[in-house]
Amino acid sequence: MSKRNKILFVFAIFYLVFASLMYFGLRARYNNKFSKSKLNEMISGKSVFRDMTNDLCKYQVLGDPKEVGNYVKIEIFCGGDKKASSTLSLLAIEDKTIGGFFKEYARIIGFEEKLFNEQNFTCYVDGKLLTDDMKKDIIRPTATIECSVIKTNEK
């Protein structure tokens, strides 16, 4: 064996040992550390650094999803000229009910879901007044949700 062949042989052995250790080490770490619950927590959890808001019209999701026919549009009118228009793909939403859509929308935008009730919002789903019973129904793809503030007369 020539000197060059010896060097290549030793390099090949070290490379195989290193690659094997890397493969089996990462595989063992994956099996010990990964869990579906941690993944769901990471994906759908709220960050402590997140900018939470009380203004439902502060943020909006711009653009249309690439998936045709499997989305929901939501328009929120906050009074005056403040408006937020968003379109969300139903693929990204695990709970396909109307209530589940509102919960996921609130998580994405960064506000508490209860603000819809606290700030006197009235919502319509495809022109029908949204009730608490309807929130348990499956949301129709390409549905349009319109929410606006109820104006109360204060004396």
Side-chain angles (χ1 to χ4, degrees):
M1 228 189 210
S2 71
K3 186 174 182 180
R4 179 181 171 147
N5 286 344
K6 284 182 184 179
I7 292 173
L8 289 175
F9 182 72
V10 170
F11 176 76
I13 289 174
F14 280 121
Y15 179 78
L16 288 174
V17 169
F18 177 74
S20 297
L21 287 174
M22 180 75 80
Y23 174 77
F24 289 112
L26 289 175
R27 188 172 173 183
R29 181 170 172 82
Y30 171 78
N31 289 336
N32 292 336
K33 300 288 183 179
F34 179 77
S35 71
K36 285 282 189 185
S37 62
K38 286 182 182 178
L39 178 65
N40 285 337
E41 181 183 333
M42 188 184 327
I43 291 173
S44 61
K46 292 181 183 177
S47 170
V48 294
F49 301 109
R50 178 94 188 245
D51 179 26
M52 296 300 285
T53 183
N54 290 331
D55 182 7
L56 275 60
C57 290
K58 186 174 182 181
Y59 300 114
Q60 57 187 343
V61 179
L62 297 175
D64 290 330
K66 293 180 181 177
E67 186 178 352
V68 178
N70 196 23
Y71 59 87
V72 175
K73 290 189 177 210
I74 182 167
E75 294 181 353
I76 301 175
F77 301 97
C78 295
D81 60 345
K82 291 180 74 176
K83 174 182 154 183
S85 297
S86 300
T87 306
L88 296 179
S89 173
L90 286 175
L91 264 181
I93 300 172
E94 190 173 328
D95 183 5
K96 304 280 192 231
T97 62
I98 295 173
F101 173 80
F102 276 106
K103 184 176 180 180
E104 185 66 12
Y105 180 73
R107 185 192 70 79
I108 290 170
I109 298 300
F111 63 86
E112 296 291 328
E113 184 184 359
K114 62 185 178 182
L115 287 178
F116 279 108
N117 294 332
E118 290 177 357
Q119 295 183 4
N120 295 329
F121 275 89
T122 301
C123 295
Y124 294 89
V125 178
D126 292 330
K128 296 179 186 173
L129 182 64
L130 180 65
T131 61
D132 287 335
D133 292 336
M134 287 177 63
K135 288 186 178 182
K136 297 173 187 168
D137 295 341
I138 300 295
I139 195 161
R140 182 183 65 79
T142 69
T144 301
I145 300 173
E146 296 175 345
C147 297
S148 59
V149 176
I150 301 172
K151 300 200 179 190
T152 57
N153 296 331
E154 296 180 11
K155 292 185 178 182

